Amino acid sequence: MKDYYQILRVRPDASIDEIKQSYRLLAKEYHPDVNKSPDAQEKFCEITEAYDYLINHVKRPVFTRTYESYPHAPQNNEAYEKFVNEARERARRQARMRYEKFKKQHEAFQESGINDIALLFTMFMRLFSLFLFIFLCFTPIVLAFAIHWSGILVLFLTWPFAFGIGWYYHDNRKNYFKPGEFYYSFSRIMNKIKSTHPSAEKCFYCPGKTANSSPYKLELLKLQDIKLNKDSNILRSANYVTRSISIFVPRSQKALVIHTLTVLIKVLCITGCLVFLNFPSLVWRLIAGFAGAAFLSGILLTAFSTRSNISYLYNTGFFIRISIWLTAICLASRFNIDPLRIYTTDAIHFIIAVILMCDCLVMQLINVVLGKSASYPVSYQPPEIIQKFNEGYRAYNDIPLISIMYPVFKWIFG
């Protein structure tokens, strides 16, 4: 008989919560999409078998590693072996079902492009840390030669940080500049754009076109309840209970190409303004990048008679919040017309912190004043989407950071 407790790496007197927590960690470690070892799938099925077996017996007296000491073992060895074999077979079937479910979720996550964006950000930060390492290592030496020999004492401040970065390099030396595999290669992007399939549906984004390409997946959520948790007399927390749905909007190949180009335009315009625009203020370079991206993508959509795929984000509350925050940023800025320069005062740091943390509060206040109309799209949407908004669904949640960062992310990447 297998030692299921040992397989899940828990004590024989482990509780249900401990078994579940250990299973989640091991399932993540040995998931075949993560662990590339040849026995990963077999190990994944084995720990799932152990989990399913123990979770149905943990409330009974604990069994030990021998058959004789197992309190619920039938007296008939043959009957007991049959019972165990059936339990293992059920566990294997459930393990395969879980594996297929995990695989579908992983593929959906890969197709969303979030993983590729995270990899790009990781590569950028690692490249930046390389320059930071060089700066921390050689700054004391440059100061000693260029200014005064006492500048070498700065190494007591810079070299400990450089040592920490260098240790991180050593631990990740094999895959430092390649933290993972990108899902969207050039060939896969081209295949996705070129692939078509026959359909009788009409494209929502390009009137008169057939929806012969992959649909646009639009996700909405609805707040159902707020649960207050009292961890102690001092600590309290609140959890949102939401219900999410996915709506697939029919889309033609033409609309897919145009939407992909708008994403490219937005990324290039925002990046270009951040790097090349001659504004002293980084905040205003970012604002200029968003304004230019909106203008150029709007021209592209108008020129090809295509509706935007992120127009559901535009609502009355969105425009009110944008107006409030732009006004606050303007009040913390100084403008010079000739030559055109925009400077920000020290108050800009406070304004940015308020925007990130208090946007959700402003969003809730607008919802209280305007009701459903605050989150209702101002542009034409498919009837199914309109129905869901009428039922109280929203495009995103009103919690700190998410209320401002999520719509920005969706606006850029669709």
Side-chain angles (χ1 to χ4, degrees), residues 15 34 36 64 80 156 190 205 304 313 335 340 396 405:
S15 64
V34 178
K36 300 303 181 182
T64 57
Y80 173 71
F156 291 104
M190 295 307 298
Y205 301 105
F304 289 93
L313 295 173
F335 299 88
L340 181 60
Y396 50 91
M405 299 302 295

Side-chain angles (χ1 to χ4, degrees), residues 317-357:
F318 172 81
F319 290 114
I320 293 176
R321 286 155 52 215
I322 291 295
S323 301
I324 292 174
W325 300 132
L326 280 178
T327 302
I329 293 174
C330 289
L331 292 175
S333 305
R334 293 184 292 107
F335 299 88
N336 188 5
I337 303 301
D338 189 20
L340 181 60
R341 292 287 188 275
I342 305 178
Y343 303 89
T344 52
T345 63
D346 293 338
I348 193 64
H349 304 96
F350 174 75
I351 297 296
I352 297 300
V354 170
I355 291 174
L356 292 175
M357 302 306 301

Side-chain angles (χ1 to χ4, degrees), residues 194-258:
K194 293 180 180 179
S195 62
T196 59
H197 56 82
S199 174
E201 291 185 291
K202 296 297 182 182
C203 174
F204 170 75
Y205 301 105
C206 295
K209 294 287 184 178
T210 303
N212 59 349
S213 185
S214 58
Y216 176 72
K217 183 180 179 181
L218 189 151
E219 296 181 348
L220 301 176
L221 57 87
K222 182 179 182 180
L223 179 63
Q224 293 183 315
D225 193 13
I226 298 178
K227 290 186 176 180
L228 299 176
N229 301 321
K230 184 180 179 181
D231 301 326
S232 65
N233 293 329
I234 301 176
L235 299 177
R236 286 171 173 77
S237 60
N239 295 327
Y240 281 71
V241 180
T242 59
R243 179 184 179 185
S244 59
I245 59 170
S246 297
I247 300 175
F248 295 89
V249 185
R251 182 164 59 173
S252 63
Q253 187 180 26
K254 173 188 174 182
L256 175 62
V257 173
I258 298 301

